[in-house]
Amino acid sequence: MSKNPWFETVAEAQRRAEKRLPGSVYSALLAGSERGRTIDDNTGAFAELGFAPRVVGHHAQRDLTTTVLGMPSAFPVVISPTGVQAVHPDGEVAIARAAANRGLVMGLSSYASKPVEEVTAANPNTAFQLYWSGSRETMVQRMERARAAGCKALILTLDWSFSNGRDWGSPVIPEKIDLRAMLRLAPDVLPHPGWLWSFARTGRIPDLTTPNLAAPGAAAPTFFGAYGEWMQTTPPTWQDVSWLVEQWGGPLLLKGVSRVDDALRAVDAGVSAISVSNHGGNNLDTTPATIRILPSIAEAVGDRIEVLLDGGVRRGGDVAKALALGARAVMIGRAYLWGLAANGQAGVENVLDILRGGLDSAVLGTGHAAVGELSPDDLVVPEGFTRTLGAPTLGASALGARAIGV
């Protein structure tokens, strides 16, 4: 690692993460499916948008605060839930502490490597993420555990189709870290002594189990065991989504919306918020970048529920562009994982500071006093930039009624 642990950009955090991590671990963070067109478009589309800055009338103080799912946020960035983490021994707990120190909401994956109780202790403003996996009774048990731990919101992720391959190769992920796995992975791991030592000094090895999916009194399943459960679960209907909203009884975000008609159905199902998402390019490849499809969705439902965006956010200017096109906040994943790999909790805080600083500069440069004032007038949007998927032919109420079987 560089003698100076601080870095100036998320791109530098990524470079340091690549240098520090074993190839298989770093490759897992890159993710993407098939050709990787969607992951490339997620990031590239932000660069196609320009700002229309003002030169006079700037505000000496800018208000970046907002609320997300009923929780205060120092600026409009949410930690998106990411699964089993092998980039740092402190994993989600370090991320939760970093988010708490910066006044942000923590999203915790049900596939996380740390128990929900440890994460909420580190950050009281935590939203627990759930897949539609297992029986209804099992899902209720997991929700109630999250509620008892102090989680204040639920994230239901439905945009995962799990492509089995990608053109540049998928990493080998063992079922568990045992002697056989360690011997097989040694050539990949040994050239990265810093990463290896970070685990060795704690007396722990990378944990590939999912403690938040453990049944009462049972051992935590492995990632592949959890994936097998998901594969064997019948996909949900809109009636199932409505049932889950009722069972939780609090703020619930539906993650994975790409179409206007799905956004309208989500409103009628009773969700509090949606995230315009393609699972960071891990869903169906060649799905358009989320920033391209955000405006049509925000226009359709943004006055009734909170609309968030995830996918491709690497700079504070990206956050500002998403807000200008209708998002209440953005969710980040890879960016904070690279920070965690580069420098632990301090690296995550470093990434969050970079995003906050870039956002503040954009609000200043466009002449606003608060993030809520950002609008399309602050951007240069190229002709043909946006995409509208699933434009309904029925009115919203009729479409929602059809969706829930009325």
Side-chain angles (χ1 to χ4, degrees), residues 57-361:
H58 294 165
H59 297 268
Q61 302 294 325
R62 278 82 56 197
D63 181 8
L64 305 185
T65 62
T66 189
T67 59
V68 180
L69 295 168
M71 292 176 275
S73 184
F75 55 102
V77 171
V78 176
I79 299 295
S80 188
T82 56
V84 179
Q85 294 175 5
V87 301
H88 191 278
D90 292 336
E92 294 86 0
V93 173
I95 296 163
R97 289 174 182 152
N101 287 344
R102 295 302 184 264
L104 302 183
V105 173
M106 171 74 184
L108 177 68
S109 173
S110 55
Y111 283 16
S113 63
K114 300 296 181 184
V116 61
E117 293 81 6
E118 292 184 20
V119 174
T120 53
N123 188 337
N125 286 330
T126 293
F128 184 72
Q129 179 266 345
L130 193 72
Y131 287 100
W132 187 266
S133 182
S135 67
R136 283 191 170 194
E137 292 75 14
T138 297
M139 283 183 269
V140 168
Q141 176 265 316
R142 292 166 181 166
M143 282 192 294
E144 291 307 318
R145 178 180 172 182
R147 194 195 310 275
C151 289
K152 296 179 179 177
L154 195 70
I155 300 172
L156 175 61
T157 299
L158 297 182
D159 64 337
W160 189 32
S161 59
F162 201 85
S163 172
N164 289 319
R166 53 198 195 185
D167 289 8
W168 58 98
S170 300
V172 176
I173 302 175
E175 175 80 12
K176 59 182 178 179
I177 303 295
D178 53 16
L179 180 59
R180 178 177 295 181
M182 286 189 281
L183 290 173
R184 187 172 71 251
L185 295 172
D188 185 31
V189 172
L190 292 179
H192 301 272
W195 177 84
L196 186 61
W197 173 243
S198 70
F199 282 92
R201 67 185 179 185
T202 67
R204 303 195 302 270
I205 58 177
D207 190 356
L208 301 183
T209 61
T210 54
N212 295 311
L213 297 182
T222 65
F223 170 81
F224 288 103
Y227 170 60
E229 179 190 78
W230 173 78
M231 285 286 288
Q232 296 172 49
T233 303
T234 302
T237 64
W238 284 108
Q239 292 95 324
D240 290 325
V241 174
S242 296
W243 170 82
L244 198 67
V245 169
E246 182 178 354
Q247 291 297 311
W248 175 248
L252 186 147
L253 181 148
L254 176 61
K255 185 174 181 293
V257 175
S258 293
R259 298 169 55 101
V260 173
D261 49 5
D262 277 349
L264 293 166
R265 289 183 173 103
V267 170
D268 285 293
V271 307
S272 312
I274 58 174
S275 180
V276 178
S277 170
N278 49 44
H279 215 92
N282 258 327
N283 192 11
L284 296 177
D285 194 30
T286 68
T287 299
T290 51
I291 192 67
R292 298 188 192 279
I293 57 182
L294 169 66
S296 60
I297 293 173
E299 182 179 3
V301 301
D303 59 342
R304 285 174 282 176
I305 58 174
E306 296 178 9
V307 177
L308 283 72
L309 172 139
D310 71 81
V313 175
R314 302 289 186 269
R315 298 165 182 82
D318 297 342
V319 180
K321 291 171 182 178
L323 301 180
L325 292 181
R328 186 181 189 88
V330 304
M331 305 179 80
I332 61 168
R334 292 179 181 88
Y336 73 74
L337 289 175
W338 290 327
L340 181 68
N343 195 29
Q345 177 182 330
V348 179
E349 293 171 355
N350 196 158
V351 163
L352 297 177
D353 290 343
I354 289 168
L355 295 178
R356 189 190 190 284
L359 171 62
D360 187 54
S361 293

